[in-house]
Amino acid sequence: MQQTLSIIKPDAVKQNRIGAIFSRFESARFTIVATKMLHLTEEQAGGFYAEHKGQPFYENLVRFMTSGPVVVSVLQGENVIKRHRELIGATDPQAAAAGTLRFDFAASKSINAVHGSDSEQSAKREIEYFFTESEIFSRQTKG
Ligand code: RTP
Ligand code: MG
């Protein structure tokens, strides 16, 4: 069964959206197999988004991601990487489809509520970035 890394970003945590977002994951039949709350250091946030180093938005992104606690989770399910990205919606909430998490919860293209891994390779890297094997409770999901 496929796994992906999800982050509820500081803006959504501050707005008390953790439960609402978890509920949407469960409604989509994703299984939460690992989760924790963290306040990222600059080093952790910068390393996580290293692919964007040098982009004009990178410093703002690191500042935003360290502005308060986040909730990092491993979600499991069939085709969950793509389905989680679809549930999150476009980076810019103005472009996000109705019913997506960013349409409902994001403030702007920068302050946008949720992160999701975008490929199998990034999912593996990002899961290992935050979780040890013993912290992940993989299990069969009922249909
Ligand atoms: P994420 O990685 O967080 O799931 O978001 P994404 O794939 O939809 O977007 P990506 O291009 O990977 O950008 C990562 C995060 O950087 C911030 N950003 N701001 N103001 C801007 O132009 C801009 N562009 C990107 C957002 O927080 C975005 O989610
Ligand atoms: Mg991305």
Side-chain angles (χ1 to χ4, degrees):
M1 194 73 79
Q2 198 175 59
Q3 294 182 341
T4 195
L5 193 277
S6 179
I7 304 180
I8 303 178
K9 297 187 181 186
D11 56 324
V13 171
K14 275 189 191 122
Q15 288 166 33
N16 275 342
R17 300 303 197 185
I18 298 170
I21 292 169
F22 274 2
S23 172
R24 303 273 279 267
F25 292 160
E26 293 186 338
S27 294
R29 297 190 173 231
F30 306 157
T31 306
I32 300 165
V33 294
T35 193
K36 59 187 159 192
M37 193 176 234
L38 294 170
H39 195 142
L40 300 180
T41 63
E42 273 191 30
E43 198 181 9
Q44 280 176 310
F48 182 78
Y49 279 118
E51 65 174 304
H52 296 307
K53 204 165 179 185
Q55 295 287 336
F57 60 81
Y58 179 75
E59 277 184 28
N60 263 340
L61 174 59
V62 172
R63 195 171 317 126
F64 165 51
M65 290 301 291
T66 56
S67 66
V70 297
V71 176
V72 295
S73 305
V74 180
L75 307 178
Q76 183 175 296
E78 235 166 75
N79 202 16
V80 71
I81 296 172
K82 181 160 174 277
R83 290 173 57 225
H84 178 234
R85 293 276 296 184
E86 285 169 0
L87 180 66
I88 292 171
T91 311
D92 183 345
Q94 299 221 34
T100 61
L101 295 174
R102 283 175 173 159
F103 180 89
D104 289 336
F105 302 127
S108 69
K109 191 176 179 184
S110 311
I111 310 295
N112 61 2
V114 185
H115 162 83
S117 309
D118 61 9
S119 67
E120 281 189 32
Q121 195 186 355
S122 66
K124 182 177 185 313
R125 172 190 170 264
E126 292 175 2
I127 289 168
E128 287 171 0
Y129 196 85
F130 287 117
F131 294 95
T132 63
E133 224 172 283
S134 66
E135 290 176 315
I136 302 172
F137 298 89
S138 308
R139 57 186 188 267
Q140 293 294 97
T141 48
K142 282 189 189 160

